[in-house]
Amino acid sequence: MKGGPGVYLESPQNPKIHRWSQLKSKKGRVTEGAFLVEGVRLVDDLLRSSFEVEAVLWDVGTDNLPEDLTETAQLRGVPLIEVAPRAFAAVADTVTPQGVIAVAKLPQTGVEPGSVVFGLVLDNLRDPGNVGTLVRSADAFGTDLVLCGSGTADPYSPKVVRASMGGTFRVPVQSGDTAAFLSAWRQAWPAGKVVLADAHGQVDCDQFDFRGPVLVVIGSEASGASVETEALATDTLQIPMTGMADSLNAAIAGSVLLYEANRQRRSR
């Protein structure tokens, strides 16, 4: 990145550094309307997406950034800012940063329930790793939307964004009230199915018809979905297992259901 625009930020107390460091908290993200993307691969994915990017920060104590990344940033008119290691550490969320962080604007437009034919709803799912993994699976299996519903980790937290492996930039992701969204969706799609993953579900997932409008709902591993969400589900599904495990991690269970739904929808 040598020979760049010449902007250099040295102090952790610099106003810009202070502002960007606040984006590690949900309050800061909401206040500033922005979020952080950390790591070479994720920043490259972000720059190739439709997201608005405010700046790319480079830790001058690390190796130069890949030329294709800097070229993409320059073509988009995104400022490339050199940052001293101590100032960079104040913004970074990871223990061992890769030397590059992008500041992106939060998307402002929401997806209407009536436009979602195949979606994923996360209810009371607090673990950011699980949420990010499910965003990644939703991207892989072609969902129209991931709704991070009531009690669910913020989809634009650094940990969720990292776990999504770029899925955040390729599939619509938004937060909202689970019950309100499900109610509106069922009004828009009266024949649609809201299927809730449940270790003791009524139907095995491979025997269920996923064709047509469908929402896959994943609740908390510990307590499941909320009572309001359960009341709005049309079906409960279990994943048949032949081994000794009595349950699956929420992210794995959700990924299995999304795979099965996608398999059936591709073959119709």
Side-chain angles (χ1 to χ4, degrees), residues 32-55:
E32 299 294 339
F35 67 104
L36 300 174
V37 178
E38 193 168 338
V40 173
R41 176 176 172 179
L42 285 179
V43 170
D44 187 65
D45 284 347
L46 171 69
L47 289 169
R48 298 177 190 279
S49 75
S50 61
F51 277 65
E52 183 180 350
V53 186
E54 180 180 320

Side-chain angles (χ1 to χ4, degrees), residues 37 51 166 170 174 217 260:
V37 178
F51 277 65
R170 293 185 289 268
Q174 65 190 44
V217 183
E260 177 60 25

Side-chain angles (χ1 to χ4, degrees), residues 2 31 39 70 91 93 104 111 117 137 144 171 197 237:
K2 292 177 179 176
T31 300
T70 60
V91 180
D93 181 68
V111 176
V117 180
S137 294
D144 301 321
V171 61
L237 304 185

